[in-house]
Amino acid sequence: MIVGNSAQGTHGRDSEAGHNILLEGTMGDTLKSQPVFTRLQRIAEMAASDPKKVFISLAHLIDVDFLREAHHLTRKDSAPGYDKVTADEYAVGLEANLENLYQRIKTGTYRAPPVERTWIQKEDGKQRPIGKPTFEDKILQRAVVMLMNSIYEQDFFSFSHGFRPGHSQHMALHELREQCHNLKITWVIDADVSGCFDNISHGKLQEIIRQRVNDGGLLRLIGKWLHAGVLEKGIISYPDKGTQQGGVASPLLANIFLHHILDEWFVRDVKPRMTGRCFLIRWADDFVIGFENESDARRVMEVLPKRFGKFELTIHPVKTRLISFRPPTQRTGKGKGENTFDFLGFTHYWGKSLKGNWAIMRKTAQKRMRRAKKAIWTWCRDNRHEPLARQHETLVSKLRGHFQYYAVRKNSRCLHDMREFIRHAWKYWLSRRSGRSWIPWENYEKILKEFPFPQPRIIHYI
């Protein structure tokens, strides 16, 4: 391993000379001969020891053993890409397939396949694109994510929770509530980035990555994925910006981009200039900034669009709101609904605790509730001719999945509402099987005794 100061310092942070790390020679051979986890742990240790180090040779660590581990970590139940090769089919000749993939990576002949695009209906009538990469491409992307995660997990701040190992939405929700209480937050910026994943600048993203990982092999692979193209109705297009829809590497690339644009900027430039306390909580491109003082909130609200505009992203001028978020006893002339905001599927508001104190509470956001009910209604309609036992099994699974996420303290009313809606929706569509007449409630109650729905219970005490 050769460690030295960068001559130009162009890839070090803040214009200071960075340290280049070349994982070749003795150390590179040692790492490559070690188990995959040990290699990643060693890289993580080096990254944590010096945030200014620039890793310039990592791609050679991806060998067949590395790809085999990446295959193990890749989801096997997702839809195949345009080549129609499923995870089970790829596994039939797994060792030969991984060896072939490795040789193409080694010789630089690997070509990133286009991503097949399909569309799903959104609640507002619009459509959202879904990308389906090939299974083999997912394996290679997973391998690159494993390498880069070992570095960037040492750089990311704890308040960034999206798509990171050891983090969850409920951790972000808990931290949000605690910060609001502990820092006496009275103002909140509820931000919305317009089409973040679809508008990330390829050039600026690669510039940011080079500040920490200036490895030609990895950068070429990332470039291939960014320019792989989109296959839709037999026609391939090549977007000039945005990360790959459905790509395994896309969440990490977006996190790297937003870490540089928002997180580092907030810690380095924003917090020191505030007159009061403040915090940032981010889940991918969805973030909330809380302030103790109104003047601080207005200053950041004014500069936030300029900061994102510098990197060719847009803060939505309507959906991004500055909210006076304080207990009702401290409000002056604010109408109902103006002191609430939505984050990660929950509406956050002030309410009375059992002890009579004002506290921050959460309930399922109306938009999420409408979306869930619409999905249940459609499913009951489309599957009403299936056997009752099969319908019941699926509906119970959907209800438990809803509870698994939304069962937080003070949200019992919304949970019961969802359960009752499923009971009524099922009755409505069972009544329309084969032209049957309306099922009386007493008859339906007999069905429910045989096929009951679970009662909601609080799971997340956050």
Side-chain angles (χ1 to χ4, degrees), residues 154-167:
Q154 319 312 314
D155 297 350
F156 292 155
F157 294 104
S158 60
F159 56 74
S160 169
H161 295 278
F163 309 111
R164 292 181 58 194
H167 290 255

Side-chain angles (χ1 to χ4, degrees), residues 196-210:
C196 178
F197 284 79
D198 295 331
N199 290 288
I200 290 177
S201 166
H202 293 169
K204 292 187 181 298
L205 171 62
Q206 290 175 308
E207 286 178 13
I208 292 170
I209 293 174
R210 288 192 189 98

Side-chain angles (χ1 to χ4, degrees), residues 40-82:
L40 297 176
Q41 188 176 36
R42 177 61 180 137
I43 294 170
E45 290 171 356
M46 289 188 287
S49 67
D50 188 351
K52 298 187 185 302
K53 288 177 180 176
V54 182
F55 292 79
I56 64 174
S57 186
L58 292 169
H60 72 284
L61 295 175
I62 300 178
D63 55 15
V64 176
D65 290 338
F66 208 99
L67 292 172
R68 189 182 300 110
E69 183 64 24
H71 170 267
H72 174 70
L73 296 174
T74 301
R75 284 186 58 180
K76 312 298 191 298
D77 58 350
S78 54
Y82 88 101

